[in-house]
Amino acid sequence: MANRYAIILAAGQGTRMKSKLYKVLHPVLGRPMLQHVIGQLNAVQLEEMVTIVGHGAEKVSDHIGDQSRLVIQEEQLGTGHAVIQAEELLKDKDGTTIVVCGDTPLITSETYKSLFDHHEREGAKATILTTKVLNPTGYGRVIRNENNEVERIVEHKDANDQELLVNEINTGTYCFDNKALFQALQKVSNDNVQGEYYLPDVIEILRSQEEKVSASITPDSEETLGINDRVALAQAETIMKRRINEKHMRNGVTILDPANTYISPDVIIEQDVLIHPGSIIKGESVIKTDAEIGPHSEIINCSVGDASIVKQSVAKDSKIGNRVQIGPYAHIRPEASIGDDAKIGNFVEVKKTVIGDKSKVSHLSYIGDADIGSNVNIGCGTITVNYDGKNKYLTTIEDDSFIGCNSNLIAPVTLGKGSYIAAGSTITKDVPEDSLSVARARQTNKEGYASRIKNRNKN
């Protein structure tokens, strides 16, 4: 196998996106479209990858790091001019170079590999990735000769009646003999209305030298969608979502309503997970077997254990154990760790807290900056008061404790093992092990006083 290289064209400003965000950084299923392209190319085992960028190079670098070398195209003068920016890095290398657009996030590694293999097997100097569409209006037609080689590419506006009937189109992705590519680029002219240097002119130059130009057809025309505006971005999102959901379903995941389920590319889901409609699972989340997500839950960068249920709730950057019940309407904020067989119920917010096995926070509570042991019961309306306006402090609740309803636990405070907090208490001091703590004012009843208040309010 020949050495393989890649050039990604990502310098276009993307004015049709009507956005301050650099075009190739617009996300598809939560990942910048350029990152999709790089990820699929990496699977082909390249010797080197070069990304041509323009304005916004620093932001691109922040996203891709050292995954690709960046070369800046200071002035955008066409696709041929963009490719030649990589000349100093690649021109003397033997092998095959693929040229792809950074706004085509749907092309798979299998398609890239097939294009490379076809090009090298045919011994061509250039190979065009093509596809066939029902309506080729507006696309460049690929015209083949009697040997099934590419004779030329004809733009729609220049095609005659017979050529307009051809439905094989140029996708804008190519493989080239690397040295032949840069030699031909030296002959590309900008003698056109736009005054730009076009990469497809290399095909014509190679054919004029009687070099072989081939074409590799991808049967999935959706893959080749280029994103130039928000409409195409939404189309790509839909296609990618369907592709990922189908992969999970084939791997044994039940998705009740795939059209209304959003799973980002890096998510791992094991067999026999059930996902209800309206669920969103993003980032590097891992959902273990027999778990149940949704309806209408959002999981971001979380691990969810075996047979756990997250119903109508949000969880982010946290760890959820096995057989845990969360929701409905719970909010698991970053750095929470929920132990096995625990329960986080209705309208409970948990933040930066460890909750031990078999502990329960069943409803209407805020638990932040806390370390809670196992088999702890936290009553309705309990608050760990963790913030004094300047600093945050830790609340520790040891195993087997019981916290009565409407309790305020003023941190820093420790409640010993087996302690019992009476309902309505405001706890400001540590509670010893196996102790009952009552911290509330004595009740006083003033008979007949309510009517006096009512009469005063009337006056």
Side-chain angles (χ1 to χ4, degrees):
M1 184 178 72
N3 291 333
R4 293 176 173 180
Y5 311 94
I7 299 173
I8 304 174
L9 306 183
Q13 295 182 17
T15 54
R16 280 185 282 172
M17 298 296 289
K18 293 182 170 56
S19 173
K20 60 181 178 295
L21 182 64
Y22 196 60
K23 176 183 176 181
V24 296
L25 297 183
H26 278 268
V28 177
L29 253 64
R31 181 191 291 176
M33 65 174 86
L34 176 60
Q35 193 68 56
H36 283 286
V37 175
I38 290 174
Q40 296 299 325
L41 284 170
N42 277 333
V44 185
Q45 298 181 326
L46 300 169
E47 297 296 320
E48 190 162 6
M49 185 187 305
V50 180
T51 301
I52 312 300
V53 294
H55 302 294
E58 291 183 2
K59 292 182 179 179
V60 173
S61 180
D62 289 342
H63 278 83
I64 69 174
D66 59 359
Q67 295 181 74
S68 173
R69 299 186 68 171
L70 295 184
V71 175
I72 298 177
Q73 185 187 17
E74 297 288 353
E75 188 178 6
Q76 280 72 64
L77 297 175
T79 51
H81 181 259
V83 172
I84 210 166
Q85 305 306 303
E87 185 176 30
E88 292 303 314
L89 296 175
L90 298 178
K91 67 176 181 179
D92 295 325
K93 298 182 182 294
D94 292 315
T96 302
T97 294
I98 190 170
V99 179
V100 305
C101 295
D103 61 1
T104 54
L106 299 175
I107 302 178
T108 64
S109 59
E110 292 79 11
T111 297
Y112 287 136
K113 185 177 185 301
S114 176
L115 177 61
F116 270 116
D117 291 344
H118 178 98
H119 174 82
E120 292 164 2
R121 184 173 59 250
E122 292 292 318
K125 290 297 183 182
T127 301
I128 307 164
L129 179 67
T130 67
T131 192
K132 292 185 177 181
V133 294
L134 293 176
N135 180 12
T137 301
Y139 292 100
R141 309 303 205 277
V142 176
I143 307 301
R144 296 175 181 255
N145 61 21
E146 63 276 5
N147 297 320
N148 207 35
E149 296 175 2
V150 175
E151 186 68 33
R152 64 190 181 278
I153 300 172
V154 181
E155 295 304 317
H156 179 88
K157 64 180 183 298
D158 299 322
N160 59 37
D161 290 344
Q162 185 175 358
E163 291 166 341
L164 288 173
L165 297 176
V166 174
N167 67 344
E168 184 180 4
I169 63 168
N170 176 21
T171 68
T173 297
Y174 309 86
C175 268
F176 295 98
D177 174 272
N178 186 67
K179 288 184 176 179
L181 167 63
F182 288 104
Q183 289 168 3
L185 280 170
Q186 300 300 323
K187 300 178 181 180
V188 172
S189 168
N190 67 340
D191 185 17
N192 51 60
V193 175
Q194 287 76 22
E196 295 185 348
Y197 301 88
Y198 295 129
L199 183 61
D201 289 354
V202 170
I203 301 300
E204 185 177 342
I205 290 168
L206 292 173
R207 285 300 302 165
S208 69
Q209 296 171 350
E210 298 186 352
E211 299 287 4
K212 183 175 182 179
V213 177
S214 186
S216 175
I217 301 177
T218 176
D220 184 1
S221 61
E222 286 185 336
E223 275 194 48
T224 64
L225 175 70
I227 299 175
N228 293 310
D229 56 26
R230 304 293 181 121
V231 174
L233 185 66
Q235 292 171 343
E237 186 96 358
T238 299
I239 294 166
M240 184 75 75
K241 180 177 69 173
R242 183 179 70 239
R243 180 189 296 176
I244 290 173
N245 288 352
E246 287 178 356
K247 179 194 73 172
H248 287 298
M249 288 188 286
R250 290 192 178 98
N251 288 336
V253 176
T254 297
I255 302 176
L256 296 180
D257 187 355
N260 289 294
T261 301
Y262 181 109
I263 303 172
S264 63
D266 296 323
V267 171
I268 297 172
I269 306 178
E270 295 185 354
Q271 292 181 355
D272 294 318
V273 168
L274 173 60
I275 302 177
H276 291 272
S279 295
I280 299 172
I281 308 175
K282 298 164 64 176
E284 297 181 356
S285 294
V286 178
I287 314 298
K288 295 289 188 175
T289 187
D290 293 320
E292 188 173 339
I293 308 298
H296 304 293
S297 289
E298 184 176 14
I299 311 293
I300 306 168
N301 294 321
C302 290
S303 61
V304 178
D306 295 350
S308 289
I309 299 172
V310 183
K311 181 182 295 185
Q312 291 161 319
S313 296
V314 175
K316 183 177 181 181
D317 298 324
S318 295
K319 181 179 180 181
I320 298 167
N322 302 315
R323 300 173 302 281
V324 174
Q325 295 184 52
I326 293 179
Y329 311 115
H331 188 184
I332 310 302
R333 291 172 57 192
E335 299 183 61
S337 179
I338 315 297
D340 296 344
D341 301 294
K343 180 181 179 181
I344 310 296
N346 311 46
F347 301 103
V348 172
E349 181 177 350
V350 178
K351 189 271 295 186
K352 201 175 182 180
T353 291
V354 175
I355 294 181
D357 297 346
K358 299 182 180 179
S359 289
K360 297 179 180 180
V361 190
S362 294
H363 26 236
L364 298 166
S365 296
Y366 169 73
I367 308 298
D369 296 278
D371 188 350
I372 298 173
S374 61
N375 200 36
V376 171
N377 186 85
I378 296 180
C380 176
T382 296
I383 297 173
T384 58
V385 185
N386 57 338
Y387 185 49
D388 66 0
K390 183 177 181 181
N391 298 304
K392 292 187 177 180
Y393 299 96
L394 181 69
T395 298
T396 301
I397 306 175
E398 296 182 353
D399 298 348
D400 303 315
S401 295
F402 183 95
I403 314 301
C405 294
N406 286 339
S407 293
N408 297 308
L409 310 178
I410 313 296
V413 68
T414 297
L415 313 185
K417 182 177 180 180
S419 60
Y420 196 108
I421 307 302
S425 293
T426 295
I427 304 300
T428 60
K429 298 178 181 179
D430 292 350
V431 178
E433 181 177 319
D434 197 32
S435 297
L436 167 64
S437 183
V438 183
R440 59 193 183 205
R442 184 182 299 273
Q443 180 173 327
T444 301
N445 296 330
K446 295 186 177 182
E447 296 183 9
Y449 201 80
S451 59
R452 291 171 58 184
I453 294 173
K454 294 175 184 177
N455 291 332
R456 184 171 62 193
N457 289 340
K458 290 179 181 178
N459 297 330

